[in-house]
Amino acid sequence: MLTLRAALVLLLAVLTGAVAGTLTYFARRSIPEALLAGGAATGGAIGLFNRLIA
């Protein structure tokens, strides 16, 4: 089980990654680039939201 804080951080990070991946796909029409951009955004957002939601 996750704590509420951990679930919120992960949810916001995944949403951020999905938006970044979608926008990258629309801009470049490349699925691999969209996946890489979404993954990188998710990783960065985890650290950001972990610090913001303390």
Side-chain angles (χ1 to χ4, degrees):
M1 297 289 293
L2 291 175
T3 63
L4 181 61
R5 179 179 175 273
L8 182 61
V9 167
L10 290 175
L11 174 68
L12 291 174
V14 168
L15 288 175
T16 302
V19 168
T22 301
L23 290 175
T24 302
Y25 177 75
F26 286 146
R28 307 281 295 189
R29 298 287 184 207
S30 172
I31 292 175
E33 286 183 19
L35 290 174
L36 285 172
T42 300
I46 287 175
L48 173 72
F49 291 125
N50 191 31
R51 287 187 181 193
L52 286 177
I53 304 171

